[in-house]
Amino acid sequence: MSTRTPPVSEGAPALVPAPPSAPTRPRSAPPPGARAVVAAVLVALAGTALLNAPPPATARTAPESAAGPESAAGPESAAGPESATTRSLTPSGSTAPDPTAADPNSADATAPDSTAPDSTSADSTTPGSTTPGSTTPGSTTPDLLAAPVHFAGKAFDTCEAPSLTVMKAWLASPYGAVGIYFGGRGRGCPVQKELTPSWVASAHAMGWRLLPLFVGSQAPCVDSLAKRKYAIGSTPVTQGTKEGGDAVRAAKALGIGTSSPLYLDIEAYQRGDTNCAATTLSFVRAWNREVRRLGYLPGFYSSADTGVRDMETQRRAGTKDLPEAMWFARWRGQPALLTESVLQPQAWTPHARIHQYAGNVTETYGGRTLAIDRNAMDAPVARVTAPARFAARVPVPLSFVASQRP
């Protein structure tokens, strides 16, 4: 909080009252009528001096935070464990972390026993994208947003969110993050009976980091027959904007706060179909713009050889409104986070890549078995405000060390 001392006016004449002891008076006092005239002149002069003097500046209190899009009744609370860090946005869209703000995520974003690094600093924008919160004409995005939380390590995703009992058992696994399919009409498992705000807060309190996935409309030439009924229609921009808003509302309802990534899942589609690719790109860009406008990070998941390849082509061409984090699927059994062939080395770095390197595998930890996809990551994860009753932290053992350098 800052205040400003009112400046001293230098141009206005000062009026000094007469001291208690009267100065030397003239030997003969003026008659009573003359005294009245003199007094009237003095009052007039004083009034003129006061009118000409500039008004003093009043003390101002600088606002300490900007109201976010969910400040009225959203789940994100300023009292939450990850809500204190903010970043200011420069006109160019780059981020400038507040040097005076302590980052509460640096201590608890990974468990005490973890060997995987976790960064919570705000980074400059990735190539071909703009920082969430950078304003555009008509945008309602706040000027200040909390810094994204990043996690580096192993992650898994599975079609339906496991029970909290399973999540607790899987604390014995090498994984530290989990993908959750939180919304979208194209989800393979639309009924997510476990996925509630309580589940999100509880899993986060255990130490899990969350990767929110939104499976909405799909490319018109999507490979999967089951997904073709969710094809993007004839107005991809309108449709993408609407579904971007749907994604943000669904995330907020689960207690996933602003500056969280929301990963749009676009399944593999036919290569070489330029009309299909153009429609898909229009949808994705509109989705990204709306998600970003509402204060979240637009992420993207797809096959390395289709959706990801096309996004990289657009990045090289300088196209705007691209994803800020890239989740690419190439199932070769080993992580290749920084050596994917369709991405240039500098693309979506730092802290903006996830590699899904194996799929439909079965693993068992703590006596609980799941069918999962395996991922290596160094990317943003959800910011969660956990209620006090879920605040207890449980160490998450992580054995992932070298996925970044396969």
Short mmCIF file of all heavy atoms in Angstrom, two decimals, residues 6-46:
data_model
loop_
_atom_site.label_atom_id
_atom_site.label_comp_id
_atom_site.label_asym_id
_atom_site.label_seq_id
_atom_site.Cartn_x
_atom_site.Cartn_y
_atom_site.Cartn_z
N PRO A 6 0.79 15.27 0.00
CA PRO A 6 0.38 16.39 -0.86
C PRO A 6 1.53 17.35 -1.10
O PRO A 6 2.29 17.68 -0.20
CB PRO A 6 -0.74 17.07 -0.04
CG PRO A 6 -1.21 16.01 0.90
CD PRO A 6 -0.01 15.16 1.21
N PRO A 7 1.72 17.80 -2.35
CA PRO A 7 2.83 18.71 -2.65
C PRO A 7 2.57 20.09 -2.07
O PRO A 7 1.45 20.49 -1.83
CB PRO A 7 2.83 18.76 -4.18
CG PRO A 7 1.41 18.46 -4.55
CD PRO A 7 0.91 17.50 -3.51
N VAL A 8 3.65 20.81 -1.81
CA VAL A 8 3.57 22.17 -1.29
C VAL A 8 3.45 23.13 -2.45
O VAL A 8 4.24 23.08 -3.40
CB VAL A 8 4.80 22.52 -0.44
CG1 VAL A 8 4.72 23.95 0.04
CG2 VAL A 8 4.89 21.56 0.74
N SER A 9 2.46 24.01 -2.43
CA SER A 9 2.29 24.98 -3.50
C SER A 9 3.32 26.08 -3.38
O SER A 9 3.52 26.64 -2.31
CB SER A 9 0.88 25.58 -3.44
OG SER A 9 0.75 26.60 -4.39
N GLU A 10 4.00 26.38 -4.50
CA GLU A 10 5.02 27.41 -4.47
C GLU A 10 4.55 28.72 -5.07
O GLU A 10 5.13 29.77 -4.85
CB GLU A 10 6.26 26.94 -5.25
CG GLU A 10 6.90 25.71 -4.61
CD GLU A 10 8.09 25.24 -5.41
OE1 GLU A 10 8.36 25.82 -6.48
OE2 GLU A 10 8.77 24.31 -4.96
N GLY A 11 3.48 28.70 -5.83
CA GLY A 11 3.10 29.92 -6.55
C GLY A 11 2.10 30.77 -5.80
O GLY A 11 1.92 31.94 -6.10
N ALA A 12 1.37 30.22 -4.81
CA ALA A 12 0.32 30.99 -4.15
C ALA A 12 0.90 31.78 -3.00
O ALA A 12 1.72 31.29 -2.24
CB ALA A 12 -0.75 30.04 -3.62
N PRO A 13 0.48 33.03 -2.80
CA PRO A 13 0.97 33.82 -1.67
C PRO A 13 0.42 33.26 -0.37
O PRO A 13 -0.72 32.83 -0.29
CB PRO A 13 0.41 35.22 -1.94
CG PRO A 13 -0.78 34.98 -2.82
CD PRO A 13 -0.45 33.79 -3.65
N ALA A 14 1.27 33.24 0.63
CA ALA A 14 0.87 32.71 1.94
C ALA A 14 0.28 33.82 2.78
O ALA A 14 0.77 34.94 2.79
CB ALA A 14 2.07 32.08 2.64
N LEU A 15 -0.76 33.48 3.51
CA LEU A 15 -1.39 34.43 4.42
C LEU A 15 -0.92 34.13 5.83
O LEU A 15 -1.13 33.04 6.34
CB LEU A 15 -2.92 34.31 4.34
CG LEU A 15 -3.51 34.67 2.95
CD1 LEU A 15 -5.01 34.51 3.00
CD2 LEU A 15 -3.14 36.09 2.59
N VAL A 16 -0.26 35.08 6.47
CA VAL A 16 0.29 34.88 7.81
C VAL A 16 -0.54 35.68 8.78
O VAL A 16 -0.65 36.91 8.67
CB VAL A 16 1.77 35.34 7.89
CG1 VAL A 16 2.32 35.07 9.27
CG2 VAL A 16 2.57 34.65 6.81
N PRO A 17 -1.18 35.03 9.75
CA PRO A 17 -1.97 35.78 10.73
C PRO A 17 -1.07 36.65 11.60
O PRO A 17 0.10 36.37 11.81
CB PRO A 17 -2.66 34.67 11.53
CG PRO A 17 -1.77 33.48 11.38
CD PRO A 17 -1.19 33.59 10.00
N ALA A 18 -1.66 37.68 12.11
CA ALA A 18 -0.90 38.60 12.97
C ALA A 18 -0.53 37.92 14.26
O ALA A 18 -1.30 37.17 14.83
CB ALA A 18 -1.74 39.83 13.26
N PRO A 19 0.69 38.14 14.74
CA PRO A 19 1.12 37.55 16.01
C PRO A 19 0.35 38.19 17.15
O PRO A 19 -0.25 39.24 17.03
CB PRO A 19 2.62 37.87 16.06
CG PRO A 19 2.77 39.09 15.20
CD PRO A 19 1.75 38.97 14.12
N PRO A 20 0.37 37.50 18.30
CA PRO A 20 -0.37 38.03 19.45
C PRO A 20 0.03 39.44 19.82
O PRO A 20 -0.79 40.28 20.18
CB PRO A 20 -0.04 37.03 20.56
CG PRO A 20 0.36 35.79 19.83
CD PRO A 20 1.02 36.25 18.57
N SER A 21 1.33 39.75 19.79
CA SER A 21 1.78 41.11 20.11
C SER A 21 1.70 41.96 18.86
O SER A 21 2.31 41.65 17.86
CB SER A 21 3.22 41.11 20.64
OG SER A 21 4.07 40.53 19.68
N ALA A 22 0.92 42.99 18.89
CA ALA A 22 0.68 43.79 17.70
C ALA A 22 1.94 44.53 17.30
O ALA A 22 2.75 44.93 18.14
CB ALA A 22 -0.44 44.80 17.97
N PRO A 23 2.18 44.71 16.02
CA PRO A 23 3.35 45.48 15.57
C PRO A 23 3.17 46.95 15.92
O PRO A 23 2.13 47.38 16.38
CB PRO A 23 3.33 45.25 14.06
CG PRO A 23 1.90 44.96 13.72
CD PRO A 23 1.36 44.24 14.92
N THR A 24 4.22 47.71 15.65
CA THR A 24 4.18 49.14 15.94
C THR A 24 3.07 49.81 15.17
O THR A 24 2.96 49.62 13.96
CB THR A 24 5.52 49.80 15.56
OG1 THR A 24 6.54 49.15 16.25
CG2 THR A 24 5.50 51.28 15.89
N ARG A 25 2.24 50.49 15.84
CA ARG A 25 1.09 51.11 15.21
C ARG A 25 1.42 52.55 14.85
O ARG A 25 2.25 53.20 15.47
CB ARG A 25 -0.10 51.08 16.17
CG ARG A 25 -0.51 49.66 16.56
CD ARG A 25 -1.66 49.69 17.52
NE ARG A 25 -2.82 50.40 16.91
CZ ARG A 25 -3.96 50.56 17.56
NH1 ARG A 25 -4.09 50.13 18.81
NH2 ARG A 25 -4.95 51.22 16.99
N PRO A 26 0.73 53.08 13.90
CA PRO A 26 0.95 54.50 13.56
C PRO A 26 0.49 55.37 14.71
O PRO A 26 -0.36 54.99 15.51
CB PRO A 26 0.08 54.68 12.31
CG PRO A 26 -0.93 53.58 12.34
CD PRO A 26 -0.24 52.43 13.02
N ARG A 27 1.10 56.53 14.78
CA ARG A 27 0.81 57.40 15.92
C ARG A 27 -0.65 57.81 15.95
O ARG A 27 -1.24 57.96 17.03
CB ARG A 27 1.70 58.66 15.86
CG ARG A 27 3.16 58.34 16.06
CD ARG A 27 3.99 59.59 16.03
NE ARG A 27 5.40 59.27 16.20
CZ ARG A 27 6.37 60.19 16.21
NH1 ARG A 27 6.06 61.47 16.02
NH2 ARG A 27 7.61 59.84 16.37
N SER A 28 -1.24 58.06 14.83
CA SER A 28 -2.64 58.45 14.81
C SER A 28 -3.43 57.35 14.11
O SER A 28 -3.19 57.02 12.97
CB SER A 28 -2.81 59.77 14.05
OG SER A 28 -2.37 59.64 12.72
N ALA A 29 -4.34 56.71 14.84
CA ALA A 29 -5.15 55.62 14.27
C ALA A 29 -6.13 56.19 13.27
O ALA A 29 -6.63 57.28 13.44
CB ALA A 29 -5.88 54.89 15.39
N PRO A 30 -6.43 55.45 12.23
CA PRO A 30 -7.40 55.92 11.26
C PRO A 30 -8.78 55.92 11.87
O PRO A 30 -9.05 55.22 12.84
CB PRO A 30 -7.31 54.89 10.14
CG PRO A 30 -6.78 53.67 10.78
CD PRO A 30 -5.90 54.14 11.88
N PRO A 31 -9.63 56.71 11.34
CA PRO A 31 -10.98 56.73 11.87
C PRO A 31 -11.65 55.38 11.66
O PRO A 31 -11.23 54.57 10.86
CB PRO A 31 -11.64 57.85 11.04
CG PRO A 31 -10.85 57.92 9.78
CD PRO A 31 -9.45 57.63 10.19
N PRO A 32 -12.78 55.16 12.43
CA PRO A 32 -13.45 53.85 12.34
C PRO A 32 -13.84 53.47 10.93
O PRO A 32 -13.74 52.34 10.51
CB PRO A 32 -14.66 54.04 13.24
CG PRO A 32 -14.28 55.12 14.19
CD PRO A 32 -13.38 56.04 13.44
N GLY A 33 -14.34 54.43 10.15
CA GLY A 33 -14.74 54.08 8.78
C GLY A 33 -13.59 53.60 7.94
O GLY A 33 -13.69 52.67 7.15
N ALA A 34 -12.43 54.21 8.12
CA ALA A 34 -11.23 53.79 7.36
C ALA A 34 -10.82 52.38 7.73
O ALA A 34 -10.38 51.60 6.90
CB ALA A 34 -10.09 54.78 7.62
N ARG A 35 -10.91 52.05 9.04
CA ARG A 35 -10.54 50.68 9.45
C ARG A 35 -11.44 49.65 8.76
O ARG A 35 -10.99 48.58 8.37
CB ARG A 35 -10.66 50.57 10.98
CG ARG A 35 -9.51 51.26 11.73
CD ARG A 35 -9.43 50.75 13.15
NE ARG A 35 -10.67 51.03 13.90
CZ ARG A 35 -10.86 52.14 14.61
NH1 ARG A 35 -9.91 53.07 14.66
NH2 ARG A 35 -11.99 52.32 15.26
N ALA A 36 -12.70 49.96 8.65
CA ALA A 36 -13.61 49.02 7.98
C ALA A 36 -13.23 48.81 6.52
O ALA A 36 -13.26 47.70 5.99
CB ALA A 36 -15.05 49.52 8.10
N VAL A 37 -12.84 49.89 5.87
CA VAL A 37 -12.44 49.78 4.46
C VAL A 37 -11.20 48.93 4.31
O VAL A 37 -11.09 48.06 3.44
CB VAL A 37 -12.21 51.19 3.86
CG1 VAL A 37 -11.61 51.08 2.46
CG2 VAL A 37 -13.52 51.96 3.81
N VAL A 38 -10.22 49.16 5.21
CA VAL A 38 -8.97 48.36 5.16
C VAL A 38 -9.27 46.89 5.38
O VAL A 38 -8.73 46.00 4.71
CB VAL A 38 -7.97 48.90 6.21
CG1 VAL A 38 -6.78 47.96 6.32
CG2 VAL A 38 -7.52 50.30 5.83
N ALA A 39 -10.13 46.62 6.35
CA ALA A 39 -10.46 45.22 6.63
C ALA A 39 -11.11 44.55 5.42
O ALA A 39 -10.82 43.41 5.08
CB ALA A 39 -11.39 45.14 7.85
N ALA A 40 -11.98 45.28 4.77
CA ALA A 40 -12.65 44.70 3.58
C ALA A 40 -11.66 44.41 2.47
O ALA A 40 -11.73 43.39 1.77
CB ALA A 40 -13.73 45.68 3.09
N VAL A 41 -10.68 45.31 2.29
CA VAL A 41 -9.65 45.09 1.26
C VAL A 41 -8.83 43.86 1.55
O VAL A 41 -8.52 43.04 0.69
CB VAL A 41 -8.76 46.35 1.14
CG1 VAL A 41 -7.57 46.06 0.21
CG2 VAL A 41 -9.57 47.52 0.59
N LEU A 42 -8.45 43.71 2.84
CA LEU A 42 -7.66 42.53 3.24
C LEU A 42 -8.43 41.25 3.00
O LEU A 42 -7.88 40.23 2.53
CB LEU A 42 -7.25 42.65 4.71
CG LEU A 42 -6.20 43.72 5.02
CD1 LEU A 42 -5.96 43.81 6.53
CD2 LEU A 42 -4.90 43.41 4.30
N VAL A 43 -9.70 41.22 3.33
CA VAL A 43 -10.50 40.01 3.09
C VAL A 43 -10.58 39.67 1.61
O VAL A 43 -10.45 38.52 1.18
CB VAL A 43 -11.92 40.21 3.68
CG1 VAL A 43 -12.85 39.07 3.24
CG2 VAL A 43 -11.85 40.27 5.20
N ALA A 44 -10.74 40.71 0.80
CA ALA A 44 -10.80 40.48 -0.65
C ALA A 44 -9.51 39.90 -1.19
O ALA A 44 -9.49 38.99 -2.02
CB ALA A 44 -11.15 41.79 -1.36
N LEU A 45 -8.36 40.49 -0.69
CA LEU A 45 -7.07 39.96 -1.13
C LEU A 45 -6.88 38.52 -0.71
O LEU A 45 -6.35 37.70 -1.45
CB LEU A 45 -5.95 40.84 -0.56
CG LEU A 45 -5.82 42.26 -1.17
CD1 LEU A 45 -4.77 43.06 -0.41
CD2 LEU A 45 -5.47 42.17 -2.65
N ALA A 46 -7.30 38.19 0.51
CA ALA A 46 -7.15 36.81 0.99
C ALA A 46 -7.97 35.85 0.14
O ALA A 46 -7.55 34.75 -0.21
CB ALA A 46 -7.58 36.73 2.47
#
